[in-house]
Amino acid sequence: TVDLIPTSKLILWNWQPEDELAQVVLPKIHSPCLCVSHADWHRMILWGEEGVWILEIDVCRDVIVWVVDPVSLDIGFAARRGTSFARRNSIEEALDMEHELMELKKLQVTSATWSDKDTILAGCTSGELVEIDCNTLNIRVAVKATQYGAGSFDALAFLPERMVLLAGGFQQPLRWLKMDAGSGALTLFRDVKLEQRTCFQIVPDSRVESALYAVGPNTCLRYDSQADTAVSLVAGQGNDYLSACLLGGSSSEILVCTTRTGQLQAYASSRPDTLVSSLQLTVGELTVVTSDHAQPALVVGDRNGTCQVVSYVDPQRPIVVARVRACRTAVAAVCIVDQHLLVAGDN
């Protein structure tokens, strides 16, 4: 858990007996994001507007400690933007370059994913994709900002079995980049333009290796790279999507798209263009959605502090099985552990 108020602390818990195993005080971080390595749960990356940190859990007999390493994001102008700005033929162009150098800010990470046990790929606001080596803390610009532009890597998902990086973002198409196993070089081999030209979430299909879902403000697209087909999962117009979740349990082929106004739309992987069911919740504006990996259920939280559990045992007839006022403020995060809900308010 990451505790922000009143002190910034990262805490490791043994959940069953509710024991606190280790904690460390962090720098002040605004809106922190945490991503655990899929290959080694002892390693994770923490990032926010203020910077990036590599976290590692060291265990020696009964002693557990956090090791926190800050990552330096100071990278030269040429490495970030390329050499196209190096040659100038006039005073005006030279002044333009000086202005750009003065305006160039420190890299700010917006998304991150693990490509293997020791390497992280991180997307930045200005359009760079950087590679971070967790052992040496060295950082390398894998894709320069001038190649695709700002917002290119706001949403990332890495498929380790195929060595493919999926990337999307604001005013950007979806991109498939193949990673060379030896050099780590990324090569673009497919891109798909979205109708809304914006993607803020990428959800790989857990049952179909070649398929993924791309979620934007008013669209949810299912793309199958093997068949080279794209199907828009939109039932009606004006949907303001918040999130998309694949259900757990026996209904893992069902994807539920949730709008901020409380509408839950369920689609099947086998029939992505067909709406399986639609449920309109009586809530305030939704703020968070999470799925239960063990059973077909969703938990949604709203701006009024209410959490609702929606069962999809029968995907065609979803029902609300529980409703609780959990917070006095908007629900900021929900996690399901051992059939218990952990709920955090935005205060």
Side-chain angles (χ1 to χ4, degrees):
T1 58
V2 181
D3 178 26
L4 298 183
I5 302 173
T7 58
S8 293
K9 289 190 295 186
L10 185 70
I11 306 174
L12 178 69
W13 302 85
N14 185 6
W15 178 248
Q16 293 288 355
E18 300 180 16
D19 290 337
E20 182 181 311
L21 300 180
Q23 67 169 261
V24 63
V25 177
L26 299 169
K28 296 293 182 182
I29 306 172
H30 181 263
S31 300
C33 298
L34 189 68
C35 181
V36 181
S37 169
H38 52 77
D40 182 1
W41 69 270
H42 294 84
R43 279 183 162 176
M44 56 205 75
I45 179 173
L46 178 74
W47 73 91
E49 293 180 4
E50 295 76 9
V52 176
W53 295 264
I54 303 297
L55 311 171
E56 192 161 356
I57 301 167
D58 271 5
V59 182
C60 181
R61 295 186 180 179
D62 297 330
V63 179
I64 301 174
V65 295
W66 283 104
V67 178
V68 181
D69 291 316
V71 178
S72 174
L73 297 177
D74 294 328
I75 299 180
F77 181 84
R80 289 176 58 178
R81 298 297 178 91
T83 57
S84 59
F85 295 92
R87 298 183 62 184
R88 299 291 170 171
N89 298 320
S90 68
I91 294 177
E92 289 79 9
E93 290 178 331
L95 290 173
D96 289 342
M97 180 180 180
E98 183 182 19
H99 177 73
E100 185 143 4
L101 283 167
M102 291 175 65
E103 291 291 320
L104 191 67
K105 298 178 180 178
K106 186 177 73 171
L107 286 175
Q108 182 177 323
V109 171
T110 56
S111 60
T113 184
W114 292 80
S115 60
D116 60 36
K117 189 177 73 170
D118 301 318
T119 310
I120 296 165
L121 295 172
C124 303
T125 53
S126 46
E128 298 90 351
L129 180 74
V130 297
E131 183 182 271
I132 304 171
D133 188 314
C134 296
N135 295 321
T136 63
L137 298 183
N138 289 338
I139 184 169
R140 178 182 72 87
V141 177
V143 178
K144 294 180 173 62
T146 51
Q147 190 161 347
Y148 301 123
S152 302
F153 301 103
D154 288 348
L156 297 176
F158 190 77
L159 307 179
E161 64 281 352
R162 301 176 62 200
M163 295 297 285
V164 170
L165 177 70
L166 309 172
F170 180 69
Q171 298 286 306
Q172 294 289 338
L174 273 175
R175 293 185 174 93
W176 280 252
L177 297 105
K178 181 72 174 179
M179 175 178 281
D180 184 88
S183 64
L186 291 164
T187 305
L188 178 71
F189 69 92
R190 179 179 289 111
D191 62 3
V192 174
K193 290 181 171 58
L194 302 175
E195 291 181 14
Q196 303 294 328
R197 289 182 55 80
T198 295
C199 171
F200 56 69
Q201 184 186 15
I202 298 174
V203 184
D205 194 318
S206 57
R207 297 179 68 118
V208 182
E209 185 180 289
S210 60
L212 63 90
Y213 300 92
V215 186
N218 294 295
T219 186
C220 181
L221 184 82
R222 184 182 189 272
Y223 187 83
D224 190 323
S225 59
Q226 191 170 23
D228 200 20
T229 58
V231 179
S232 181
L233 313 183
V234 177
Q237 300 296 322
N239 297 311
D240 185 9
Y241 285 115
L242 170 68
S243 180
C245 295
L246 283 167
L247 295 178
S250 58
S251 299
S252 59
E253 67 167 6
I254 300 295
L255 179 95
V256 180
C257 298
T258 309
T259 69
R260 295 184 183 276
T261 56
Q263 189 177 32
L264 276 59
Q265 301 170 352
Y267 301 89
S269 296
S270 56
R271 305 186 310 277
D273 56 343
T274 303
L275 185 67
V276 176
S277 65
S278 180
L279 176 66
Q280 179 64 53
L281 299 177
T282 305
V283 294
E285 181 184 352
L286 292 188
T287 54
V288 64
V289 183
T290 189
S291 61
D292 189 339
H293 299 295
Q295 55 188 344
L298 284 184
V299 181
V300 298
D302 65 25
R303 195 164 293 283
N304 298 327
T306 301
C307 284
Q308 298 188 60
V309 182
V310 183
S311 172
Y312 278 87
V313 173
D314 182 354
Q316 294 182 338
R317 295 177 180 85
I319 58 171
V320 178
V321 295
R323 181 185 289 110
V324 60
R325 178 74 184 277
C327 308
R328 294 183 179 181
T329 61
V331 178
V334 177
C335 182
I336 303 171
V337 182
D338 297 336
Q339 298 186 355
H340 290 77
L341 291 184
L342 306 182
V343 185
D346 67 358
N347 63 343

